[in-house]
Structures are given as structure tokens and as C-alpha cells.
Amino acid sequence: KEVEEILEYNINDILATKTFYKLTEDKLELRKGLQTKYGLDCLNFPDSKIGEQLMLKLYCGATHQSEDEVKKRRTYRNNFKFIDCLPKYINFETKEFNDLFEYIKSIEVNEVKDSFHYEFEYNNFIFGLGTGGIHGCIKEGIYESDNEYIIIDSDVASLYPSIAVVNNYYPQHLGKEFCDVYSGILNQRLEAKKSGDKVMADGYKLSLNSVYGKSNSEWSYLYDPLYTLKTTLTGQMSLCMLSEMLFLAIPGMTMLQINTDGVTSK
């Protein structure tokens, strides 16, 4: 007498599984594509692990090293001087931004997590900086383009990967060869995107973005918290430079918000 009930239950499961399959077809195609091209058995990997493993495979292929050996490596640190994390091109013109810069350069800590927080106001906009990123938002309200002003949202494409490539940042234990592999992935992603190969473009994107996240995980062969700190500090200081430039170049500009990888202004 329970047969009908069980059949109904099974049918519900099958229909739900089919719906889920349809919703994730693109993710499955990505994993099949990577398996075909690189022999990466990643059908059940979450996105972050795909990126980490693809980077490992490409790095070991380029450097002729054993994956098992590379996976054992880490760089542990107990001292962080922020002044060593900033590229030479960072500079400011106004007092408020220079005060921020001098404060950042003076920091020396034993642990990155929650190591600093700094707020300052410039042109009626409050900037908030911290270990993880930069944030700020104008007071609540409705802001619209009109005959005199236009709202522009400037989002930096692949901010953290681009920072690493431009500044040659790399986890110490992986050496400068890491930079060649990483920039190669960025170039391959752009080529795949241009040619319409969405599967590989997405695969390379996962690999690029995973490096930053995993560089702060002790469970990953990418672990080097100084690499993480260099990336976040360079991003924040660069966006502050952009903000100052905009304020000085465009009288009457109103900044609406700033976040980890972009600004919105009117």
C-alpha cells in the first residue's frame, strides 16, 4: 500500500534533479571542458578548488615540478611592514590623502587579520579602509543623472589579478616563475573571451580569482599572507589615488560610493 507514495516521492526527486541539472549545465560544461583540455578531474569540485587546481597544474607544467611537492609548500610570516607592501607609483597631492598614506606606511604588525582601520573625510565623503578593502557610501537618498550631471560607475576589471601581474607579486615559495604563469592565464582568458570560448574564459577566470583567496589559507599551497596584504593595500591605495584625481579634475563632482574594486560618482 506504500508503493504509490514511494513512486510519487521518487518522481519528485527525479524532477527536482532534472531542474537542478538544467540550472547548472554551464557549470558542468566548464568542468567537462577543463577535464578534456587539462585532464583535470574536477566534475565535483567547487569553483574555488577548480581555480586552485588549474593554477597548480599550469604552474607545475611550466616549472617541471611535482604537484605533490608543490602542494606541501607554504610561506609563514610573523611580521608585516606595510611600507614594504606598497608600489612606488602611489602618491597623493592633498593633505587628507597624504595623512592616510603616512599612517599606512607606519604600520607594522605581527598578524594581518584586523590589523588596521582608518576613516577620513574628503569633500563631504567618508572613506573607510581596513585589512580587507576600502568602502564608503554617501548618505541615503535618490541620486539621478540630469541635464547637468551624469552618474558613472567605474568598475576595475579583474582588479586583484591585474594588481599581481602589473606589480609582479607572487607567493615567496613559488618564486618569480609564478608571475609568468599567472600573467599567461590572464592573457589566455582575454583571448578565450575574445574568441567566444566561454568555457575556457570562465575556467581561467576561476583560476585567476582563486589565487588571491587561497593565498590567505593555510590549507593551500598558495599560502603567503604577505602576498594577500600587498594585493589589498595596493588596491585600496590605487582607488584612493583615482578618487583624489577625480575630485581634483572635476569640480562639483559628488562621489556616491567606493568599494573594493570600483567607484561610483556623479
Side-chain angles (χ1 to χ4, degrees):
K1 63 183 179 181
E2 294 177 342
V3 167
E4 290 300 321
E5 185 179 344
I6 291 171
L7 286 174
E8 185 180 348
Y9 182 88
N10 289 349
I11 289 170
N12 177 71
D13 272 10
I14 291 167
L15 292 176
T17 303
K18 183 179 179 182
T19 301
F20 182 72
Y21 168 73
K22 291 293 183 183
L23 290 170
T24 57
E25 272 188 291
D26 56 337
K27 291 184 175 292
L28 289 169
E29 288 305 310
L30 166 62
R31 285 153 175 78
K32 290 175 185 175
L34 292 172
Q35 190 164 6
T36 300
K37 184 162 185 174
Y38 294 108
L40 197 64
D41 188 13
C42 58
L43 195 62
N44 291 311
F45 284 5
D47 288 355
S48 60
K49 188 173 181 181
I50 286 179
E52 182 184 25
Q53 292 301 116
L54 179 57
M55 181 69 200
L56 177 66
K57 184 169 280 290
L58 294 174
Y59 174 81
C60 290
T63 59
H64 308 292
Q65 297 182 61
S66 159
E67 289 187 18
D68 288 337
E69 286 302 312
V70 171
K71 283 195 289 187
K72 296 176 184 176
R73 299 179 194 164
R74 309 283 191 278
T75 296
Y76 295 94
R77 300 181 184 273
N78 54 22
N79 183 259
F80 302 88
K81 294 180 180 179
F82 282 31
I83 193 170
D84 295 335
C85 299
L86 299 167
K88 289 183 169 35
Y89 58 77
I90 300 293
N91 67 84
F92 298 100
E93 296 183 37
T94 60
K95 180 182 184 305
E96 291 86 349
F97 282 97
N98 270 312
D99 287 347
L100 159 70
F101 195 31
E102 291 304 314
Y103 171 72
I104 295 294
K105 290 192 292 185
S106 71
I107 298 175
E108 183 175 346
V109 294
N110 297 325
E111 188 177 330
V112 173
K113 187 178 180 182
D114 300 325
S115 54
F116 86 101
H117 181 74
Y118 188 94
E119 279 192 0
F120 71 101
E121 184 175 339
Y122 184 81
N123 272 21
N124 300 314
F125 186 86
I126 296 176
F127 292 82
L129 296 91
T131 313
I134 183 170
H135 296 91
C137 187
I138 200 169
K139 65 181 180 180
E140 66 272 16
I142 297 172
Y143 300 91
E144 299 176 313
S145 299
D146 53 34
N147 293 332
E148 193 174 359
Y149 290 94
I150 186 170
I151 293 175
I152 297 178
D153 185 56
S154 305
D155 183 75
V156 185
S158 298
L159 175 66
Y160 285 167
S162 297
I163 284 173
V165 168
V166 168
N167 294 285
N168 288 319
Y169 293 158
Y170 55 90
Q172 184 174 307
H173 55 280
L174 297 181
K176 292 184 178 179
E177 296 87 352
F178 170 89
C179 299
D180 296 330
V181 176
Y182 202 47
S183 60
I185 294 174
L186 184 59
N187 292 333
Q188 288 181 76
R189 189 202 172 218
L190 295 175
E191 289 175 13
K193 197 173 180 181
K194 187 176 180 180
S195 66
D197 186 350
K198 189 175 186 304
V199 168
M200 292 318 302
D202 287 349
Y204 292 133
K205 182 179 180 180
L206 287 179
S207 190
L208 289 166
N209 291 338
S210 292
V211 168
Y212 162 75
K214 293 292 185 178
S215 68
N216 201 32
S217 168
E218 291 187 51
W219 307 107
S220 175
Y221 70 92
L222 292 162
Y223 181 67
D224 182 351
L226 186 64
Y227 175 95
T228 316
L229 185 61
K230 283 182 175 181
T231 304
T232 58
L233 286 180
T234 300
Q236 292 183 75
M237 292 297 100
S238 298
L239 284 169
C240 282
M241 276 183 67
L242 172 62
S243 300
E244 185 189 52
M245 288 175 184
L246 290 172
F247 275 122
L248 294 176
I250 310 170
M253 185 196 82
T254 301
M255 183 162 286
L256 301 182
Q257 69 89 25
I258 186 168
N259 60 41
T260 305
D261 60 359
V263 299
T264 307
S265 52
K266 179 177 177 180

